[in-house]
């Protein structure tokens, strides 16, 4: 899902095994993080999320996290061969010198890759199946879940995210993280929904009106993907 090439595979492994081989392949092997392509055009989420915001968010903001994550690999090469979720779940594995960069940039990469896939111009407009039953049981209704998520998202001071997770105990819960911290760090078993409430996600269209952005954002949620997320242990 996260479009990260394995370190030293195929031609890259051959190139890297040559002494002093500063080839394009060898350089590529040192950049294991790549910007995922979106499965829909930038304008596809209009009028809820405008094309310019999507374009800048994807090509500038997410790309910057990818670039910085690759820079962290240069300082901590082992990162390239680790499962991203394992790194983010336990940041104490990262050396002191790169831990903040890993938290912010590998975290930012994971969060955004998740976010793009959770939105779609089409798809189911409401959750179904097991996810629907679990939401009804945990929150009372889908509308109550939306209220809880909106409260968490509006209540996040500054920049961050609101999430629907399956927690350590296996229960659905709404949480919020600051900056590019991920819900994996909180022990989430599965991450079902997530919404970016950094101003870069909405300012061009909604300026300071975060609640208006959130109300619009719900129209973009890919509930089919959310159901898949619900059934997937990370
Ligand atoms: Mn963002």
């Amino acid at each position: 899902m996260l479009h990260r090439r394995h370190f030293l595979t195929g031609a890259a492994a051959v190139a890297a095994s040559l002494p002093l081989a500063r080839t394009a392949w060898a350089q590529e092997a040192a950049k294991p993080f790549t910007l995922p392509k979106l499965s829909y055009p930038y304008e596809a989420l209009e009028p809820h999320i405008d094309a310019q915001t999507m374009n800048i968010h994807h090509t500038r903001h997410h790309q910057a996290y990818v670039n910085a994550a690759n820079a962290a690999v240069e300082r901590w090469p082992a990162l390239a061969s680790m499962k991203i979720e394992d790194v983010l779940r336990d940041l104490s594995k990262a050396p002191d010198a790169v831990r903040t960069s890993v938290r912010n940039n590998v975290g930012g990469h994971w969060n955004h890759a998740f976010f793009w896939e959770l939105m779609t111009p089409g798809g189911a407009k409401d959750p179904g199946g097991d996810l629907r039953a679990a939401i009804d049981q945990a929150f009372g209704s889908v509308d109550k879940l939306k209220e809880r998520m909106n409260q968490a998202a509006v209540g996040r001071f500054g920049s961050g995210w609101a999430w629907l997770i399956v927690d350590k105990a296996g229960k659905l819960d709404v949480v919020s993280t600051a900056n590019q911290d991920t819900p994996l760090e909180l022990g989430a078993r599965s991450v079902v929904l997530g919404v970016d409430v950094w101003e870069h996600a909405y300012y061009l269209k909604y300026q300071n009106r975060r609640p208006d952005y959130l109300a619009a954002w719900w129209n973009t949620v890919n509930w089919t993907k959310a159901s898949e997320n619900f059934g997937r242990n990370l």
Side-chain angles (χ1 to χ4, degrees), residues 57 61 65 112 115-116 161 180 196 198 200-201:
H57 200 172
H61 292 276
Y65 299 122
H112 286 84
F115 186 57
W116 308 134
W161 296 75
Q180 295 299 350
D196 187 342
W198 284 57
H200 68 226

Side-chain angles (χ1 to χ4, degrees), residues 102-117:
V102 169
R103 175 191 295 273
N104 291 339
N105 297 300
V106 179
H109 176 47
W110 193 93
N111 288 341
H112 286 84
F114 178 93
F115 186 57
W116 308 134
E117 291 195 350

